[in-house]
Amino acid sequence: MTFTDIGAVPAAWRPGAVRPRGGIVLRPAQLADRPALATIAAAAFAQGVAVLLPPELRARADAARFTCFLAATPGVLLLAEVDGVPVGCALATLPAANDPPARLQGLWVAPGRTGQGIGSALLAAMEETLGRQGVASLRVRVPSGQLRALGLFRRRGYALRTAGLRPEPVLEAMLRHSVLAKPLLAAAVAA
């Protein structure tokens, strides 16, 4: 996994410095966390997006594929824990010089842990982390039919930018997505 310069990460998100929110502890993920996070991501994907996919694509959404995806995608990977047990994660790539928005590549919450504020806490932490690094905006693709995810992003101030077929990075297939975005710098300056 590739992380940004640790000096650029706010002190509250550096390894060993955790910030509890309602019993949820958020921190940057470490290399040793990757297997647990891949399992969570695959289980969340199977419960959410995969049920909308044809069987041949559903079979591809396994922990091994998520392990490769997490290892190959440089950026900021945050972990949520409850009582020391990983319950979710969020992965964002930093903006490229020729393509300014940062992209939320995934936000996954363990099945059985949804509806407890974990996704909201991860998203807020990612926005704060990226905003403090000077990232102007965050963009996310939400697979069509994921009304709960769309609701989360809309409640957090994301606006619809476009919709249509987009490459799904884990399955490496074209799927219908809604693309939403939110400015981050104004929130970081106000904080």
Side-chain angles (χ1 to χ4, degrees):
M1 266 181 265
T2 305
F3 294 98
T4 57
D5 173 29
I6 194 69
V9 176
W13 302 111
R14 291 185 189 151
V18 295
R19 173 185 250 177
R21 293 183 185 197
I24 302 165
V25 176
L26 303 166
R27 65 174 173 83
Q30 304 299 310
L31 189 58
D33 297 319
R34 188 170 54 200
L37 298 182
T39 300
I40 288 169
F45 196 88
Q47 186 176 24
V49 177
V51 298
L52 304 171
L53 300 176
E56 63 274 8
L57 286 180
R58 247 183 264 152
R60 294 163 95 185
D62 59 11
R65 188 172 287 267
F66 278 93
T67 297
C68 291
F69 178 69
L70 292 175
T73 307
V76 178
L77 180 60
L78 298 178
L79 166 88
E81 295 177 320
V82 174
D83 297 327
V85 176
V87 293
C89 63
L91 173 64
T93 55
L94 298 173
N98 62 346
D99 192 9
R103 286 181 168 72
L104 187 67
Q105 297 293 331
L107 188 147
W108 302 282
V109 176
R113 293 296 195 153
T114 59
Q116 298 175 15
I118 295 165
S120 294
L122 279 164
L123 185 55
M126 186 62 76
E127 291 168 357
E128 181 182 336
T129 299
L130 295 173
R132 288 181 190 259
Q133 291 182 40
V135 173
S137 64
L138 182 60
R139 191 158 90 186
V140 61
R141 290 176 303 185
V142 179
S144 294
Q146 291 299 298
L147 300 179
R148 188 174 193 154
L150 281 170
L152 168 65
F153 291 109
R154 295 301 299 247
R155 283 190 305 278
R156 294 270 325 147
Y158 287 77
L160 181 66
R161 296 290 184 238
T162 187
L165 284 175
R166 301 276 188 277
E168 202 294 316
V170 176
L171 298 181
E172 300 170 348
M174 296 297 284
L175 299 177
R176 294 206 172 279
H177 286 86
S178 296
V179 178
L180 299 98
K182 177 182 177 177
L184 299 180
L185 279 183
V189 170

